[in-house]
Amino acid sequence: MRSLAHATRDNEKLIQQAKHWLESAGCVAAVTGAGVSAESGVPTFRGKDGLWRNFRAEELATPAAFQRDPLTVWQWYQWRRGLIAECQPNAGHFALARLEQKKLDFLLITQNVDGLHEQAGSGKVCRLHGSIWVVRCISCGKEQEEREAFAELPPRCTCGGLLRPGVVWFGENLPAEAWREAEAFMLRCEVLLVIGTSSAVYPAASLAPLARQCGARVVEINLELTGLSAQADAVLAGRSGEILEELIG
Ligand code: OAD
């Protein structure tokens, strides 16, 4: 059996290797998931304390669930909004904002809806799953940012229609423009960081294999192995905040 010291030394070597790839690359992309915000206190979806352990996605995060019971869906989103409002960006979010400054050609793609990347100073974030701070009227289609807790649930638009959270639910398409941009970047990035995602949800999970096919080095940062790990050029095991600080400086 390999010792912990061995594993730690291997991880250190891999971090140095990935650092070298990152420094020599002109075009870099990062795909982030819930694990990046875990150190800020935002719950992830899968795994030991994941939201989908205690809540049923089909009752809370599908268009059918909203049609059936908008109040229950909104109570869950209002709870999550309150929880996220108390959270601050962590070292990983800040490191990625610095990476954007260092690289001329960089795209940060996130599945997260919490807005912590933007709060950490990332100027351009390609949001594949929308934002929990945006609401959209299901009647007139008007979209607006709303950070305050709603006094009444479910909230309504000035036109009288029901407002829904501006996030992508299961069974819905990703925002077309964001997806196009993310996919196009995979064709030309030289290094792709895949951070804190179980790589279980498609189509987001198809980005890394596509980048790899097109010649990018894929570097995964995660606490555990995922469905992507076997295809990654380097798997850096550990907390994303700590690893990203070391990798990016
Ligand atoms: P998941 O909850 O599926 O996965 C989180 C990943 O982060 C797991 O692989 C953990 O091992 C890892 N992780 C946890 N803490 C970490 C840390 N401190 N450092 C590094 N890694 C850590 O979250 P996502 O992959 O983002 O979709 O989930 C994808 C989508 O599924 C979400 O966007 C959401 C969900 O249903 C929608 O809401 C549409």
Side-chain angles (χ1 to χ4, degrees):
M1 209 168 93
R2 291 164 58 71
S3 69
L4 181 63
H6 249 112
T8 312
R9 264 202 305 277
D10 281 357
N11 214 29
E12 191 48 46
K13 257 199 244 161
L14 284 172
I15 292 177
Q16 292 314 319
Q17 170 69 269
K19 206 170 173 170
H20 171 69
W21 289 337
L22 205 55
E23 281 165 4
S24 356
C27 181
V28 174
V31 175
T32 65
V36 162
S37 295
E39 286 154 64
S40 295
V42 182
T44 60
F45 293 93
R46 293 166 189 83
K48 194 166 62 67
D49 300 316
L51 290 170
W52 297 147
R53 276 280 168 111
N54 299 310
F55 298 97
R56 291 166 62 85
E58 57 273 29
E59 285 168 13
L60 298 165
T62 65
F66 187 70
Q67 216 171 22
R68 209 167 37 235
D69 188 356
L71 177 61
T72 299
V73 170
W74 260 116
Q75 283 167 335
W76 191 65
Y77 276 93
Q78 178 109 309
W79 168 71
R80 279 181 64 207
R81 283 162 57 102
L83 196 155
I84 293 168
E86 301 291 310
C87 298
Q88 298 300 322
N90 65 56
H93 296 109
F94 288 116
L96 287 166
R98 287 197 297 279
L99 186 58
E100 182 184 31
Q101 297 295 319
K102 287 185 187 186
K103 294 283 167 195
L104 282 178
D105 203 8
F106 176 73
L107 187 65
L108 176 56
I109 302 157
T110 191
Q111 297 166 86
N112 298 345
V113 296
D114 55 32
L116 291 177
H117 282 304
E118 290 89 340
Q119 225 175 296
S122 282
K124 181 154 184 276
V125 182
C126 178
R127 286 200 300 243
L128 294 183
H129 293 167
S131 165
I132 203 162
W133 304 115
V134 168
V135 290
R136 184 167 73 247
C137 176
I138 63 165
S139 300
C140 72
K142 194 172 116 185
E143 213 173 69
Q144 70 198 68
E145 196 173 302
E146 182 53 70
R147 290 200 161 245
E148 294 298 310
F150 294 101
E152 267 181 53
L153 293 180
R156 290 198 171 267
C157 177
T158 44
C159 81
L162 265 183
L163 291 175
R164 60 159 284 176
V167 301
V168 175
W169 282 328
F170 289 101
E172 291 186 313
N173 290 331
L174 268 48
E177 184 50 40
W179 179 250
R180 253 197 308 274
E181 192 178 20
E183 218 179 17
F185 225 81
M186 296 305 104
L187 308 186
R188 60 192 191 84
C189 67
E190 293 152 64
V191 173
L192 173 67
L193 305 175
V194 183
I195 315 157
T197 173
S198 56
S199 291
V201 174
Y202 285 81
S206 67
L207 290 172
L210 174 63
R212 182 117 207 288
Q213 232 174 40
C214 297
R217 305 259 196 204
V218 174
V219 177
E220 182 179 49
I221 302 173
N222 203 304
L223 286 180
E224 49 193 48
L225 295 178
T226 71
L228 172 71
S229 306
Q231 295 175 62
D233 295 281
V235 179
L236 310 181
R239 287 155 62 94
S240 50
E242 292 162 16
I243 294 190
L244 285 169
E245 264 204 331
E246 192 171 347
L247 199 60
I248 295 165

